[in-house]
Amino acid sequence: MGTTAGIRPFERVLVANRGEIAVRVIRTLRRLGIRSIAVFSDADADAPHVRLADEAVRVGPAPAAQSYLDPDRLVAAALETGAQAVHPGYGFLSEHAGFAAACRAAGIVFIGPGDEALAVMGDKIRAKRHVAASGVPVVPGVSDPDLDDAALVAAGEQVGFPLLVKPSAGGGGKGMQIARDRAELAEAVPAARRVARTSFGDDTLLLERLIERPRHIEVQVLADAFGAVLHLGERECSLQRRHQKVVEEAPSPLLDEATRERIGRAACDAARSVDYLGAGTVEFLVSDAAPDEFFFIEMNTRLQVEHPVTELVTGIDLVEQQLRIAAGQPLGFGQPDVRLTGHAIEARVYAESPERGFLPSTGEVLAWAPPTGDGVRVDAGIRTGQVVTADYDPMLAKIIAYGADRAEALERLDAALAETVVLGVDTNLGFLGRLLAEPDVRSGALDTGLIGRMPQPAAATPSAGQLAAAASVVLADLARARRDATDGGPAAWSDAAGWRLGAHRPPTVLLAPRDDPASVVPVAVPTDILTPVPTDVLTPVPTDTPTPVPSPVPSSAPQGVSVRADDRPDTPPHPAADGVSPHPSAVRDAADGTIWVHDASGTAAFVVVDRRAAAEARRALAERGGAAANLDLRAPMPGTVTAVFVVDGGAVAAGDPVLAVEAMKMEHRITATSDGIVHLAASVGDLVSRDQAVARIELAADPEPDQAEPVATSDPAARAHPERPVTRAADEQEHPHAVRPQ
């Protein structure tokens, strides 16, 4: 364990990040007896990481550039609170050489590598040249920062298609685009530059030959100031969507022991070449057809989102090792001490809508209940009542499962995802369950294009239990309102059971899926469930149970790990009987009336439909013969209009890009749904809400186009009209999205 294991590295550490990584770092600080200092923006004043820390300092308004990504504000906060060191978590500032230098200039320890590693490995072009000079194989490509768009396109043609366009200063897939021919490359280069310039302040691009059906394998390394460099095995990160990792595991089901040792040595050599210090990750592409061949992609000079799977199979707390190395302590163990025991798999839970092309989702978290169980660990930074905005990354939590082998880890993760409750915002929980059920995922036949080959997720059909639970909430609210209105009057007037003279008729509620308000379903509700759905399952309860953390040196793989978002974890839902939860978790959003329900079959959101509105909608649909009333193009997500590709009043063809909307560092192009004349209702810089009309296509056969003005509404009754057109998402292969790095 080493002679320094019991020595506290620092007395006070500022955590310069937010969300689940801030919570994760603070937990290790507390375990080591180090006073933690959180920073927060105005949007995060009551966030879990703020609650958990010993101190908290406001660093600015919600936009990250004015708070979490402002080096001057963070250094000032560290000086103000007397912090000896700053832990940047992961993200942009964790690999920002200027921020590290500012910390050191202020006499504050930056918990990360030295200047050379940040400078070399922080630039993808320079990093590739550096490791190539050392004999490490790299993917063929173009990495000349002096080339303009036209020259870059011409050089890319010489390398050959398909190509991957990547911002040099970026990471985590942000700004990456695939080009399969010259036309796509000519479109992808300026789009990638826009994202790179906005996100990193550096629009330098590089091109790499795209290796079809590759495996993404990364190696965790640790290096101290005394010359020790070792690796902690590899992680398989091949399950990606738009170059953003979704599910990660350790170890990889692909590599044998001989290849594992070779790739580990290569990662250590890359770290030594820049005198690396701390925890880092070296990423490789490995050919599925030739697992013994690997190519260097890049080195991330920070902690990775997926680090928990390495912690679980090695028993090593990587945050603790970062702290000790930064404090000048040597590693207390060597390469022979590192053993990989069992298997761990992590799934990232995002606030996004899989059925709408995985676009980001925003709103208030009306209910959050993490899973529990043997081998289950939850790293999260959300709480019930927290508002998910478009200002930050859409990742809400990470669900990690450990097992004696891969099969057990998969089963535990599948069960944990089914138990996880997030109501109030769309999530990818249902998609994750379907992904884990894929035969290739079960067998370990992974590659980075697997998710892209899956069918586009379709909206799930609401179960009878979900409909009944939602209707129960409506009737309970009605009964409560009637009781309040009668103010203690006769009980008959507050009865919502629909009693009438003659045969009993149960009350009926008209419901529709939130994203398909024209599909009205009448739900007859038995009187025995005309009570509010129990909400005690969503009530936080205090606990004195300490949070298990990995040991500094692996003795055996940890069991029953459960890391929560705060010290008052939410109680999970009642156990299901025969696969059906007796009391689904259900809650109504006071802001827009949407009813959210979670049961054993998944999560659903409903709107209540007014009977008159439903009848009018049916009549209007019949009169039009099923045709849409107009051709509005609507924003698929809340965000900012970043580009307009057409002239107001100009001609467009079906599929032409009209506008681009960006939120959570994802740019989505809205395309024309048919040929016609486009009339714009938004311009660059406008803030738009989900489903807001941003343009309209006037067909040649439309006799009175000016009478169909774009209208945006959040009224549930108005949303019941089927005239609302559907915004078609751009094809992912033609217009890949850029996602904020993790």
Side-chain angles (χ1 to χ4, degrees):
M1 199 178 261
T3 58
T4 62
I7 301 175
R8 186 162 51 196
F10 300 101
E11 296 295 326
R12 302 168 65 84
V13 172
L14 182 137
V15 181
N17 216 304
R18 65 177 300 279
E20 61 86 17
I21 183 55
V23 170
R24 163 69 189 91
V25 173
I26 291 170
R27 289 199 172 280
T28 290
L29 293 175
R30 295 182 66 181
R31 181 174 64 81
L32 297 177
I34 300 172
R35 190 165 182 83
S36 58
I37 303 163
V39 294
F40 63 91
S41 70
D42 292 340
D44 281 342
D46 199 30
H49 75 280
V50 176
R51 291 182 170 189
L52 189 62
D54 296 306
E55 301 177 40
V57 180
R58 177 188 177 275
V59 288
Q66 301 175 39
S67 50
Y68 295 112
L69 297 183
D70 187 326
D72 293 338
R73 291 174 185 258
L74 295 172
V75 170
L79 292 172
E80 175 188 336
T81 56
Q84 299 166 292
V86 169
H87 195 301
Y90 41 65
F92 183 56
L93 283 187
S94 64
E95 298 178 288
H96 192 290
F99 179 52
C103 288
R104 293 174 183 131
I108 301 166
V109 175
F110 175 78
I111 299 176
D115 293 337
E116 182 183 7
L118 288 169
V120 174
M121 295 303 181
D123 183 326
K124 290 184 177 66
I125 294 176
R126 187 176 175 186
K128 285 185 64 177
R129 290 175 175 172
H130 182 86
V131 300
S134 303
V136 178
V138 297
V139 180
V142 179
S143 57
D144 188 341
D146 296 325
L147 298 181
D148 61 15
D149 287 4
L152 195 59
V153 170
E157 286 188 281
Q158 297 302 312
V159 175
F161 296 98
L163 287 170
L164 186 62
V165 183
K166 304 169 63 174
S168 176
K174 182 160 55 175
M176 287 188 187
Q177 301 204 46
I178 295 173
R180 298 189 178 277
D181 55 37
R182 191 184 194 286
E184 289 190 357
L185 182 60
E187 184 177 331
V189 166
R193 284 205 197 275
R194 279 198 305 271
V195 175
R197 189 181 305 114
T198 301
S199 302
F200 313 117
D202 181 352
D203 64 1
T204 304
L205 302 179
L206 64 88
L207 307 181
E208 287 182 349
R209 182 69 178 270
L210 180 67
I211 299 175
E212 302 283 6
R213 301 178 75 91
R215 306 281 286 247
H216 186 121
I217 308 293
E218 61 186 32
V219 180
Q220 178 71 57
V221 297
L222 286 174
D224 64 19
F226 301 89
V229 182
L230 53 85
H231 69 87
L232 306 184
E234 84 286 353
R235 297 184 287 258
E236 172 91 48
C237 304
S238 297
L239 290 177
Q240 302 179 10
R241 182 181 52 76
R242 303 176 188 137
H243 311 293
Q244 178 73 31
K245 300 165 189 173
V246 177
V247 173
E248 306 101 339
E249 58 184 296
S252 166
L254 176 69
L255 303 188
D256 56 24
E257 286 299 328
T259 305
R260 177 170 293 117
E261 180 59 28
R262 286 178 53 236
I263 201 170
R265 286 201 307 268
C268 290
D269 290 342
R272 288 191 188 94
S273 73
V274 289
D275 294 327
Y276 199 78
L277 187 71
T281 298
V282 184
E283 301 192 351
F284 299 91
L285 282 183
V286 181
S287 170
D288 186 64
D292 59 336
E293 296 180 359
F294 48 83
F295 302 94
F296 172 88
I297 308 174
E298 63 181 321
M299 183 175 188
N300 288 311
T301 54
R302 54 174 167 81
L303 205 62
Q304 293 279 87
V305 173
E306 56 273 20
H307 76 275
V309 295
T310 295
E311 292 185 327
L312 290 180
V313 298
T314 63
I316 297 174
D317 185 329
L318 291 174
V319 174
E320 177 180 351
Q321 297 308 315
Q322 285 185 297
L323 293 164
R324 295 196 180 283
I325 291 169
Q329 299 178 6
L331 286 169
F333 52 93
Q335 193 67 62
D337 299 312
V338 179
R339 294 286 186 271
L340 307 185
T341 305
H343 204 95
I345 309 178
E346 170 184 293
R348 303 187 187 191
V349 179
Y350 286 104
E352 62 185 10
S353 305
E355 298 79 16
R356 297 168 67 97
F358 294 93
L359 295 174
S361 175
T362 60
E364 181 183 353
V365 178
L366 304 174
W368 157 245
T372 57
D374 290 340
V376 175
R377 165 174 165 172
V378 179
D379 282 15
I382 62 169
R383 61 173 178 81
T384 298
Q386 186 172 344
V387 177
V388 178
T389 72
D391 295 307
Y392 307 120
D393 186 89
M395 190 172 70
L396 303 177
K398 301 179 305 193
I399 311 298
I400 313 105
Y402 172 85
D405 53 29
R406 188 171 187 269
E408 184 177 49
L410 274 170
E411 292 302 322
R412 286 178 169 178
L413 179 58
D414 189 45
L417 290 171
E419 186 185 340
T420 304
V421 177
V422 181
L423 302 181
V425 293
D426 293 333
T427 72
N428 64 334
L429 281 167
F431 170 77
L432 290 171
R434 294 191 293 273
L435 176 61
L436 294 184
E438 284 287 307
D440 284 346
V441 174
R442 290 283 168 174
S443 67
L446 313 176
D447 67 82
T448 58
L450 188 152
I451 291 179
R453 295 191 299 272
M454 291 175 62
Q456 175 68 24
T461 302
S463 68
Q466 290 173 337
L467 287 164
S472 173
V473 171
V474 175
L475 293 174
D477 288 346
L478 178 60
R480 188 179 302 110
R482 286 176 173 172
R483 285 195 299 270
D484 293 343
T486 56
D487 194 24
W493 295 108
S494 62
D495 185 5
W499 182 91
R500 63 186 296 169
L501 184 64
H504 171 73
R505 168 181 272 181
T508 300
V509 175
L510 296 181
L511 296 172
R514 183 189 56 160
D515 289 329
D516 188 13
S519 299
V520 180
V521 180
V523 183
V525 186
T527 56
D528 60 355
I529 67 167
L530 294 184
T531 56
V533 175
T535 57
D536 61 296
V537 299
L538 305 174
T539 303
V541 295
T543 177
D544 296 324
T545 304
T547 300
V549 294
S551 303
V553 175
S555 54
S556 62
Q559 298 286 333
V561 180
S562 180
V563 180
R564 299 187 179 279
D566 53 45
D567 285 338
R568 293 167 53 84
D570 296 331
T571 305
H574 295 312
D578 299 325
V580 179
S581 177
H583 295 297
S585 305
V587 64
R588 191 169 193 171
D589 190 337
D592 62 8
T594 302
I595 300 170
W596 294 80
V597 180
H598 176 91
D599 68 358
S601 65
T603 301
F606 302 97
V607 293
V608 182
V609 182
D610 177 80
R611 294 178 186 276
R612 177 176 296 178
E616 291 175 353
R618 288 195 300 271
R619 246 188 335 268
L621 185 63
E623 292 171 358
R624 296 193 312 272
N630 54 48
L631 291 166
D632 287 350
L633 302 182
R634 297 179 180 270
M637 60 184 180
T640 304
V641 177
T642 55
V644 175
F645 305 106
V646 298
V647 177
D648 189 33
V652 294
D656 284 352
V658 177
L659 302 100
V661 176
E662 180 181 316
M664 297 182 179
K665 302 305 179 184
M666 173 185 290
E667 184 179 86
H668 178 82
R669 293 189 178 186
I670 301 172
T671 59
T673 54
S674 63
D675 299 349
I677 303 300
V678 63
H679 297 280
L680 297 173
S683 57
V684 173
D686 285 356
L687 297 176
V688 296
S689 58
R690 172 170 165 159
D691 289 330
Q692 177 179 330
V694 293
R696 179 171 54 83
I697 305 298
E698 173 191 338
L699 299 179
D702 186 356
E704 297 178 341
D706 293 334
Q707 294 183 12
E709 291 300 323
V711 177
T713 178
S714 60
D715 178 59
R719 291 164 65 186
H721 289 278
E723 293 95 341
R724 193 188 86 178
V726 177
T727 300
R728 293 171 54 187
D731 180 80
E732 286 188 26
Q733 295 302 319
E734 293 182 356
H735 305 295
H737 302 291
V739 184
R740 184 176 178 175
Q742 292 300 322

